[in-house]
Amino acid sequence: MEALRVLTIVFLACISISQAVTPPSTNPQVQGLFVFGDSALDGGENTYIPGSKIVSAVPPYGKTYFSKPTGRWTDGRTIADFLAQALGLPLLPPFLEPGANFLSGVNFASAGAGLLDETNAHHGVISMNQQLRQFRNVTNEYRKEKGVEFTNHLLKNSVALFSMGANDIANALPSPYLFQQMIQAYSSAIQEIYSYGIKHIIILLVPPIGCTPNLRALSAQSRNTNLTPEGCTGIINILVDAYNTQLQNLAIKLHHDFRELNIATLNPSPVIMNVLRNPQKYGFKEAEKACCGGGPFNAAEFCGDADKHDWKPDHKNKYAKFVCDNPKDYLYFDSNHFTEAGYWFVMKNFWYGSYNIARPSSLNFFFAGFNVPNPPPRP
């Protein structure tokens, strides 16, 4: 009987040890992340562009996570930052940051940038074509400094993240020809990245920009009554949906043409619309007004400290400035961009979301062949 008791204890101990020790994954880890985009992903690129008129390197941007402005258009991290951390990578430096280490990837995203070269060109931004040129420079430096074998291995085990199109739609008269130009530019960019060896590509679709505090304020000012039940400018969201559908179709076509291409499109619109309809259900207290700004919907004044902006030193605020006490309570940080909490909520839905959010599959399945050390918790 005593012998049986000892054997039972040993058996249970073995079970405990086997459950406590997780064998190391045999899957490779993602080696690099390359980010192309606009202000949704900008990690501070515009800060280093002389004379750029679209910059956010002033307080209170960055206050939540970094405790200082970094050039990101939010109070903390973006989707690109959350993705890098999930993959076990450091936060990526912007391409123009002096002395930056690019061995784990680069963030080329530039606030205000578009797929078309002319989009916001007079404001000092870096378009998609210019970002691709920067990418070529980086890969050439890899080959020069580290060799061809290192470069090929890095790119083969890297991911490219894209977010483009919102500024093209906002700064031009949308038309079938405009969308045709945009989709062609996107197609060329993805094919070029693929030709360099990056086979894993993620496309962030355009969010419902008709629902931003900026558009709400403009609608109130113009007394626009043609709004959706959520208070959004419906015609803008219809255009966004039409563009997003074409982008989803492009991803399907490219996967058909290049069978080794692992490509996913991530649509924030269903996630954002759910929050707008019931903010409290998803952990937010305010989904219409910005956390930072002034005037109607806190969207009529620039969020940052205007007196620290050398490109508009004579600006006089029409409305009293406002900065919320807790950005986590808000979906939007400024008139057009989400809070870190908003981006984090969207990211978790991208990771585990259904087909209407992530196609052909969520990021959880997109990275099934990789060892992902820090996957986000379920929303």
Side-chain angles (χ1 to χ4, degrees):
M1 192 70 178
E2 180 64 21
L4 178 60
R5 189 177 73 83
V6 172
L7 286 174
T8 301
I9 293 173
V10 171
F11 176 68
L12 292 175
C14 290
I15 290 178
S16 298
I17 292 172
S18 66
Q19 291 177 338
V21 179
T22 302
S25 173
T26 57
N27 293 332
Q29 190 166 332
V30 173
Q31 299 295 308
L33 177 62
F34 296 86
V35 178
F36 305 84
D38 49 30
S39 58
L41 301 177
D42 189 348
E45 181 84 337
N46 285 18
T47 306
Y48 302 101
I49 302 175
S52 177
K53 296 181 179 181
I54 305 181
V55 292
S56 63
V58 292
Y61 287 101
K63 61 177 286 188
T64 297
Y65 184 78
F66 301 99
S67 300
K68 64 179 182 179
T70 63
R72 291 166 173 80
W73 288 82
T74 182
D75 60 304
R77 291 162 291 181
T78 67
I79 294 289
D81 297 322
F82 289 129
L83 181 58
Q85 291 180 326
L87 299 176
L89 299 172
L91 299 186
L92 303 176
F95 172 78
L96 293 177
E97 180 180 311
N101 184 340
F102 296 154
L103 292 182
S104 296
V106 192
N107 191 332
F108 304 100
S110 169
L115 290 158
L116 308 181
D117 288 339
E118 58 266 28
T119 298
N120 283 329
H122 58 294
H123 286 312
V125 303
I126 300 174
S127 68
M128 175 70 90
N129 278 331
Q130 292 170 311
Q131 292 181 33
L132 290 172
R133 191 176 304 121
Q134 292 177 341
F135 171 77
R136 290 181 215 121
N137 291 340
V138 170
T139 55
N140 288 337
E141 284 300 311
Y142 285 153
R143 293 189 179 98
K144 179 181 176 182
E145 300 294 331
K146 296 292 184 177
V148 173
E149 185 176 349
F150 168 89
T151 303
N152 291 343
H153 177 77
L154 173 64
L155 297 179
K156 178 183 177 181
N157 292 285
S158 290
V159 177
L161 174 65
F162 287 88
S163 174
M164 279 277 195
N167 293 307
D168 301 282
I169 294 173
N171 288 276
L173 183 63
S175 66
Y177 178 65
L178 174 68
F179 284 176
Q180 180 182 349
Q181 286 182 298
M182 292 169 63
I183 295 298
Q184 181 56 53
Y186 232 135
S187 178
S188 297
I190 293 170
Q191 289 184 62
E192 176 168 349
I193 296 301
Y194 180 85
S195 72
Y196 272 76
I198 298 181
K199 304 295 192 289
H200 308 280
I201 295 177
I202 300 170
I203 303 174
L204 301 187
L205 303 186
V206 175
I209 55 179
C211 299
T212 61
N214 181 37
L215 262 294
R216 291 179 187 273
L218 291 175
S219 293
Q221 183 180 10
S222 63
R223 301 176 186 263
N224 176 22
T225 58
N226 187 23
L227 304 175
T228 69
E230 298 82 14
C232 308
T233 305
I235 185 61
I236 300 296
N237 286 351
I238 289 173
L239 292 170
V240 168
D241 289 342
Y243 168 71
N244 285 344
T245 298
Q246 292 191 34
L247 202 46
Q248 288 170 325
N249 292 336
L250 171 65
I252 294 172
K253 180 181 184 303
L254 290 174
H255 178 66
H256 181 269
D257 293 343
F258 305 97
R259 301 305 296 179
E260 292 185 2
L261 176 61
N262 180 24
I263 189 169
T265 56
L266 306 177
N267 189 359
S269 290
V271 182
I272 299 305
M273 298 309 294
N274 283 339
V275 174
L276 292 174
R277 294 176 187 126
N278 193 345
Q280 289 74 22
K281 179 180 178 180
Y282 301 103
F284 297 93
K285 295 181 180 179
E286 177 58 67
E288 296 182 357
K289 298 177 182 178
C291 165
C292 177
F297 297 95
N298 294 325
E301 294 289 349
F302 174 64
C303 168
D305 294 344
D307 59 350
K308 293 185 172 62
H309 259 291
D310 58 1
W311 50 269
K312 53 177 185 179
D314 299 324
H315 175 78
K316 302 295 183 183
N317 289 339
K318 181 179 179 181
Y319 300 96
K321 295 297 292 291
F322 171 83
V323 181
C324 68
D325 293 329
N326 190 358
K328 291 182 179 180
D329 292 338
Y330 283 69
L331 176 63
Y332 288 94
F333 186 67
D334 66 11
S335 61
N336 288 301
H337 306 97
F338 301 123
T339 57
E340 178 183 87
Y343 282 125
W344 180 228
F345 183 74
V346 171
M347 177 63 179
K348 290 190 289 186
N349 277 273
F350 286 164
W351 202 273
Y352 300 104
S354 57
Y355 185 73
N356 69 324
I357 297 172
R359 299 184 183 181
S361 63
S362 64
L363 292 183
N364 188 34
F365 290 100
F366 180 89
F367 289 109
F370 286 103
N371 172 26
V372 178
N374 304 307
R378 288 186 176 275

